[in-house]
């Protein structure tokens, strides 16, 4: 009985002494692991670790896709490290598109701030397509890991804010994965059933070789 009481007492003591860690501001000097960055020493953390001003300016849309994604992931905004969320800004010039892509690490919710955006995703189970024209104030959710896209479907520029359920959701654009590297053309053809001429054309545009 005495032993049991002692045991209970020490368990209680242990649980009340267990520290709660409020935050883990990422130490960007150390490598990122699947669990995120290691923590910057608490004594060195300031309010500026929890504030990021990089989304105030429009991204540069003078590019092939006429669009820009400006991320505030943990690599840009280390205060997010360990908190399970992040945010980004999406600028789409007229005719702009965020080509078919996935975020392997998180689900996404998009809020249209300006303009009109045609957005959609494809399910992995039945390859069913869900897409819709979104107007200012509309939000749409894109489940983790699924292929999805955004197209400026209006006449003027469009702006959206996207939020992710991961501080480091990742981004893989399908066309870049297939045509912007040195994967040999015959392997791209064999694995996609596309014509060699079309593959070479896309490799030329996107900077791929072989
Ligand atoms: C936008 O990007 C283009 C192409 O890289 C570049 O030529 C241009 O100077 C950039 N504009 C600004 C304002 O940075």
């Amino acid at each position: 009985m005495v032993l049991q009481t002692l045991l209970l007492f020490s368990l209680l003591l242990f649980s009340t002494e267990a520290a709660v860690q409020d935050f883990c501001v990422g130490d960007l000097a150390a490598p990122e692991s699947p669990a995120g960055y290691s923590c910057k020493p608490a004594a060195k953390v300031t309010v500026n670790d929890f504030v990021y001003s990089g989304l105030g300016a429009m991204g540069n849309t003078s590019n092939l896709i006429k669009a820009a994604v400006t991320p505030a992931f943990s690599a840009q905004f280390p205060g997010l490290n360990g908190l399970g969320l992040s945010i980004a800004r999406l600028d789409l010039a007229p005719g702009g598109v965020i080509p078919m892509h996935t975020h392997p690490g998180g689900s996404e919710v998009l809020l249209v701030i300006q303009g009109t955006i045609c957005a959609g995703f494809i399910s992995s189970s039945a390859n069913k397509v869900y897409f819709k024209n979104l107007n200012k104030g509309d939000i749409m959710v894109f489940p983790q890991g699924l292929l999805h896209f955004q197209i400026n479907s209006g006449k003027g520029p469009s702006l959206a804010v996207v939020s992710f359920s991961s501080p480091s959701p990742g981004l893989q654009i399908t066309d870049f994965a297939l045509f912007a590297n040195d994967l040999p053309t015959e392997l791209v053809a064999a694995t996609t059933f596309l014509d060699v001429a079309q593959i070479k054309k896309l490799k030329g545009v996107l900077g791929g070789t072989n």
Side-chain angles (χ1 to χ4, degrees), residues 171-197:
L171 166 65
Q172 185 170 42
I173 297 178
T174 309
D175 270 14
F176 287 71
L178 291 173
F179 310 115
N181 55 27
D182 59 1
L183 181 60
T185 295
E186 66 264 27
L187 293 186
V188 180
T191 52
T192 62
F193 305 106
L194 290 171
D195 292 340
V196 164

Side-chain angles (χ1 to χ4, degrees), residues 60-63:
N60 188 343
T61 58
S62 300
N63 52 43

Side-chain angles (χ1 to χ4, degrees), residues 32 69 71-76 80 84-88 101-108 144-145 148 162-172:
E32 188 180 19
V69 181
F73 298 167
S74 51
Q76 294 80 33
L80 293 173
L85 80 174
S86 61
I87 190 165
H101 65 281
T102 70
H103 305 285
S107 296
E108 169 179 342
Q144 178 167 349
H148 62 285
V162 288
S163 184
F164 299 91
S165 63
S166 163
S168 198
L171 166 65
Q172 185 170 42

